[in-house]
C-alpha cells in the first residue's frame, strides 16, 4: 500500500455517483491520484444504499470508491468552498445530467475562470450535446440503444443485455482515457479542457467491427448465439458434464482440431474448406464436434485442447472466477482491505499491471465525510474555525 | 484532420494484430499520437483477410488501423532496424503470446537497454505471468472464463456471450489507460516501464458489482434475462410493435410510472413497496407494466416515458444505431475517410470528445508497407541506399 503510483501528485475532485463516474475515479485512485470523493451531507452517494451489504455498509459503494478519501459538501450552499478547492485541483469529474453544473454556477466555463489548467470530465448518458442530451442514462439504456442487445442472445430469441454493467464500465474506462490524454496535453501546453463522455457513445464505440458490417455492406448483424461473424468453429459446445468454448481462428488450428477428433474426412469436405465456409456451415460443423466433445468432460476437453494448441476454455461461473488460481492467485484480481465498519472486504482489482507503478487498491473507501477535517484543513487550507462553521451551517 | 491532438509528439511502434492491440493503438492515433503500424512483409496483419471487404480491402482492418502510418518489417531479419527505431520511440505495443518477443531478443529488458524511457505494453489473453499465461487468448475465451457468459442470457437458457467483441475492446481500452498513466509517470521521472494487460483480467475487472455478490455474500449471480440485481422495474417490456427497455431506478420514478399507467393500486401493494421488493417480485411487476405497454407502440412509449422523466429507450438494431440523428448526427460517432484502394469508407469513431484536442480519425489506414519510404527515411534517418537494401533482402 506504500507503493508509488503513476498518478501521484494529481488531485481529483470526484462529484460522481453510482457507477460509471465512480469507476473512472477509482481507476485514477488505484493508479495513485489523490481522489477526493465529494458527497451530499447526510445521505451521500445513492450507491451507499445498494446491495450487497456487509455490516450495513454497501459493498457496491465500497467496490467503486476504494482508494479515495471522502468529504461532504452541499454544492448549492458551498459553491465558494468548491471553487476554492478547484483552484488547486487538477481534475474534476461529475456525472450529473447535462445542465445541472451550469445551474449550480459550477460548469467548466466557471471553473476555468478560477483555474485555467483544470481538466473537467463530464460523464452522462447521452453526452452534453445533441437532441437526446437531456434523456436520463442508465447502463440498460446504453445497451439497448447501442445495438448491443440486438446482437446478444439466441438466433430465435429476444434481444438480450450483456449480463454485467458493461456500458457503465466502458464509459468509466473511456473517461479515464480522456482525462489522462488531457493531462498529457496540459503537461506540454499548460492548457486544461473539458471532456464530454457519453455512456451511449462509449457503447457504440466498442461495437467497432459489428457496426462495420452495416457501414460497408448494408447488412444488419443479427443475434447468433455464441458464434462469431468472422470465425468458426468458434462458439460453445456440449461436453458430458457442461459446456466449453472453442475459438478455432484459422486453418492451422482447424487442422489440429480435426486430427485431435480423429475425423480426417472433415478436411476433404468443401463446406469446411475455409474459415468463411465454416462460418456459413457452422451448425453442421458443430454437430461433428459435439459427436466427439459430448463423450468427454469439460476438464478433459480443455486439457487436451490446450495441450494441442487449440484455444479452448471452461465457461466459469462467478465463484469459479473468484477462486481460480490464475485469476485470483497469480493475477491478483481480487484484493482485500480492512474497512472501519464492514471489516475485511474483498473487491475486484483493476487490470492494469505496471512494472514500476502497479495499479492497486490503496485504502478502504471512506465512510460518509470521513476525511472532512484532514482534507478541508490540510489539503485546502481552511481553518479549524471555518470547518466548524461549515459543519454548523450544514454545508458539509 | 489538421486539428491538434492531445498526444502529438508521442511516437508509438505498433506491432499488434487483429483486435485488442490495434484498437488500443487506434485510440492513441485518434488522439494525435504518431502510430507506426509494423506488419510482416508480404502478408501483414491477419485482419487484412477478415470480412467485410470493400474493393478487396478488409474494413475490419481499416476500422482498427485508421489514423496510423504503416510499414513492413520482418522482426527476425530486421531486429537491429527495430532496435534503432526504439531508440527514438516513446511507446511499443505488442500482442504476441508471452515469450515470443523474448525469443526475438526484443522483450522489454532488451528494449530498455537502448531506451530506458520506453513504455512497453504487452496485450495478451492471460497476461505475462501465471499458470495460464501460455494459453491462447481470444475474445470468446475471455467471455467464458470471466463469468460474463455465466450471467448473460435467459434464466432457463444457456450461458451466452455478449454479442460484440467486448473483451477485446475492453482489453484495448485498459491498455490505453496503462500507457497514458505510464506517460504521466515518465513526464515526472524520466522512467519508462512495462505494462502487462490481459484480456481475461480486463474482462474480470469490468464485472465489479457482479463479483461483489460472491465476494461478500457467497452468492453466485445467475443469468436473469434483461433484469438487474439492484433495480426494478429495469428490463425489457413488450410494446405492440416490438420491445422497449425501462430503467426505473428509484421510488420517485416508480411513482411516476404508476401514475402514467393509471394504476394507483400498485402503490398500495407491499410487494412493490421498495426497490428491493420490486426486484424480488419483478415478474409480477412486469405483468402489470405489459398490460399497459402492449397497448402502445415503441415510439409512443419512449416519447411519453421520456416526457415524464422515466428512463426508457427503444432497442435499436445496428442500422438504427448507424442512422440515428443523435448518435450518427450530433455525436458524430461514424466518420468517413477516402482510402486509396477502397474509396470512401465509414468507420466507428472514438467516444472521447475533448474541447481543445478532440479525438478524431486523422487519416485512412495504410495499405501494406505504404509508408516504408517516408517512415524509414524521414522519421528514423535510414538512407535511401539502406532502405533499398532492406527491400532487396526481404527485410521490409
Amino acid at each position: 500500500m506504500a507503493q508509488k503510483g503513476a498518478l501521484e501528485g494529481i488531485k481529483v475532485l470526484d462529484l460522481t455517483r453510482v457507477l460509471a463516474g465512480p469507476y473512472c475515479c477509482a481507476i485514477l485512485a488505484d493508479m495513485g491520484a489523490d481522489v477526493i470523493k465529494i458527497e451530499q451531507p447526510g445521505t451521500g452517494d445513492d450507491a451507499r444504499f445498494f446491495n450487497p451489504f456487509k455490516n450495513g455498509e454497501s459493498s457496491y459503494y465500497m467496490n467503486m470508491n476504494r482508494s479515495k478519501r471522502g468529504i461532504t459538501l452541499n454544492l448549492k450552499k458551498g459553491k465558494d468552498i468548491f471553487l476554492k478547492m478547484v483552484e488547486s485541483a487538477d481534475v474534476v469529474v461529475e456525472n450529473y445530467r447535462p445542465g445541472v453544473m451550469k445551474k449550480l454556477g459550477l460548469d467548466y466555463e466557471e471553473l476555468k475562470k478560477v483555474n485555467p489548467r483544470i481538466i473537467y470530465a463530464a460523464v452522462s448518458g447521452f453526452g452534453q450535446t445533441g437532441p437526446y442530451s437531456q434523456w436520463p442514462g442508465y447502463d440498460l439504456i446504453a445497451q439497448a440503444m447501442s445495438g448491443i442487445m440486438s446482437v446478444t442472445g439466441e438466433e430465435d430469441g429476444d434481444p438480450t443485455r450483456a449480463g454485467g454493467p458493461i456500458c457503465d464500465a466502458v464509459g468509466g474506462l473511456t473517461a479515464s482515457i480522456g482525462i489522462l490524454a488531457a493531462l498529457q496535453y496540459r503537461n506540454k501546453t499548460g492548457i486544461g479542457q473539458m471532456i464530454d463522455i457519453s455512456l451511449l457513445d462509449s457503447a457504440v464505440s466498442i461495437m467497432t467491427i459489428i457496426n462495420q458490417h452495416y457501414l460497408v455492406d448494408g447488412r444488419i448483424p443479427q443475434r447468433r448465439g455464441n458464434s462469431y461473424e468472422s470465425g468458426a468453429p468458434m462458439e460453445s459446445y456440449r461436453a458430458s458434464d457442461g459446456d466449453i468454448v472453442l475459438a478455432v481462428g484459422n486453418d492451422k488450428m482447424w487442422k489440429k482440431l480435426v486430427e485431435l477428433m480423429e475425423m480426417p474426412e472433415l478436411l476433404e469436405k468443401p463446406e469446411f474448406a475455409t474459415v468463411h465456409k465454416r462460418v456459413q456451415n457452422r451448425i453442421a460443423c458443430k454437430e461433428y464436434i459435439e459427436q466427439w466433445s459430448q463423450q468427454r468432460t469439460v476438464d478433459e476437453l480443455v486439457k487436451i485442447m490446450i495441450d494441442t494448441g487449440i484455444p479452448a476454455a471452461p465457461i466459469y461461473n462467478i465463484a469459479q472466477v473468484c477462486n481460480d488460481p490464475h485469476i485470483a492467485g497469480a493475477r491478483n484480481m481480487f484484493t482485500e482491505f480492512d474497512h472501519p465498519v464492514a471489516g475485511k472486504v474483498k473487491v475486484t482489482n483493476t487490470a492494469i499491471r505496471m512494472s514500476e507503478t502497479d495499479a492497486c487498491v490503496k485504502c478502504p473507501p471512506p465512510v460518509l465525510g470521513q476525511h472532512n477535517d484532514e482534507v478541508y484543513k490540510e489539503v485546502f487550507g481552511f481553518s479549524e474555525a471555518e470547518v466548524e462553521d461549515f459543519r454548523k451551517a450544514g454545508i458539509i
Side-chain angles (χ1 to χ4, degrees), chain A:
Chain A
M1 294 216 178
Q3 206 176 352
K4 64 193 168 200
L7 305 183
E8 247 166 53
I10 300 296
K11 204 185 292 173
V12 179
L13 302 178
D14 172 5
L15 294 170
T16 66
R17 293 90 27 83
V18 185
L19 214 165
Y23 187 53
C24 162
C25 294
I27 293 167
L28 303 178
D30 283 354
M31 294 196 298
D34 183 8
V35 177
I36 297 163
K37 166 110 179 169
I38 302 174
E39 294 177 84
Q40 184 68 16
T43 52
D45 186 339
D46 283 349
R48 288 189 179 275
F49 304 95
F50 292 176
N51 69 346
F53 295 95
K54 191 163 182 203
N55 291 347
E57 290 285 312
S58 162
S59 86
Y60 185 120
Y61 175 90
M62 286 195 275
N63 184 71
M64 290 298 156
N65 295 286
R66 79 288 186 90
S67 304
K68 305 177 185 179
R69 295 199 275 186
I71 64 173
T72 51
L73 180 64
N74 179 315
L75 287 178
K76 278 183 198 158
K77 295 186 197 166
K79 183 180 155 182
D80 292 341
I81 300 169
F82 185 72
L83 288 172
K84 173 86 174 1
M85 294 196 286
V86 169
E87 282 175 24
S88 66
D90 298 285
V91 179
V92 170
V93 189
E94 56 95 347
N95 63 351
Y96 289 105
R97 206 185 288 196
V100 169
M101 289 293 277
K102 195 176 168 73
K103 251 188 223 161
L104 290 165
L106 295 172
D107 56 328
Y108 174 59
E109 295 306 317
E110 293 303 317
L111 302 196
K112 82 173 179 188
K113 283 180 196 160
V114 305
N115 181 358
R117 289 171 57 84
I118 200 76
I119 292 164
Y120 179 114
V123 181
S124 61
F126 291 87
Q128 304 294 308
T129 59
Y132 312 153
S133 66
Q134 290 304 306
W135 289 21
Y138 275 80
D139 182 72
L140 181 58
I141 305 286
Q143 294 214 22
M145 288 187 71
S146 63
I148 290 177
M149 288 181 67
S150 78
V151 295
T152 301
E154 294 301 324
E155 273 154 303
D156 54 359
D158 287 321
T160 307
R161 78 177 185 92
I166 64 157
C167 295
D168 269 326
V170 167
L173 293 170
T174 305
S176 300
I177 294 172
I179 290 166
L180 293 170
L183 270 175
Q184 172 68 18
Y185 184 72
R186 196 187 71 170
N187 286 336
K188 267 182 57 182
T189 62
I191 300 171
Q193 60 183 309
M194 172 156 180
I195 298 153
D196 165 15
I197 301 296
S198 136
L199 294 190
L200 178 55
D201 289 357
S202 303
V204 169
S205 75
I206 64 165
M207 294 301 278
T208 55
I209 53 171
I210 303 297
N211 298 333
Q212 218 52 40
H213 291 279
Y214 179 77
L215 294 171
V216 166
D217 280 347
R219 183 170 71 77
I220 305 173
Q222 303 296 322
R223 288 181 289 289
R224 47 186 305 130
N226 292 331
S227 73
Y228 281 72
E229 299 274 355
S230 308
M234 193 178 284
E235 57 184 302
S236 53
Y237 300 88
R238 298 274 182 229
S240 61
D241 60 345
D243 291 354
I244 58 155
V245 295
L246 280 185
V248 175
N250 58 36
D251 290 339
K252 202 172 134 193
M253 289 179 195
W254 168 243
K255 202 162 163 255
K256 278 187 192 175
L257 175 64
V258 166
E259 283 167 9
L260 182 65
M261 297 192 300
E262 297 178 351
M263 295 184 185
E265 67 276 17
L266 298 189
L267 293 180
E268 310 303 317
K269 290 190 186 289
E271 65 267 35
F272 302 144
T274 64
V275 167
H276 191 60
K277 291 267 181 194
R278 292 191 293 274
V279 170
Q280 286 177 322
N281 299 298
R282 71 170 184 85
I283 292 169
C285 189
K286 185 171 182 160
E287 280 167 13
Y288 282 107
I289 294 171
E290 289 191 334
Q291 283 174 25
W292 175 80
S293 64
Q294 285 184 335
Q295 313 300 318
R296 287 154 182 87
T297 66
V298 167
D299 286 351
E300 280 169 2
L301 286 167
V302 171
K303 188 176 183 319
I304 49 174
M305 296 280 192
I306 297 290
D307 288 349
T308 317
I310 298 165
I315 300 174
Y316 274 177
N317 68 27
I318 299 294
Q320 290 171 303
V321 174
C322 292
N323 291 302
D324 182 82
H326 183 87
I327 301 169
R331 302 298 293 179
N332 190 29
M333 281 305 296
F334 306 100
T335 178
E336 195 172 57
F337 50 70
D338 204 348
H339 185 273
V341 178
K344 288 200 190 300
V345 176
K346 259 194 190 171
V347 295
T348 308
N349 207 347
T350 53
I352 307 164
R353 301 282 73 80
M354 301 172 78
S355 62
E356 287 288 318
T357 58
D358 200 25
C360 63
V361 173
K362 284 185 308 194
C363 63
V367 297
L368 190 60
Q370 182 178 339
H371 304 98
N372 274 346
D373 281 295
E374 76 179 57
V375 168
Y376 281 118
K377 291 180 213 164
E378 291 163 29
V379 181
F380 295 107
F382 292 101
S383 71
E384 178 91 38
E386 283 175 307
V387 173
E388 210 38 59
D389 286 346
F390 299 161
R391 199 167 268 138
K392 280 183 193 151
I395 297 172
I396 70 172

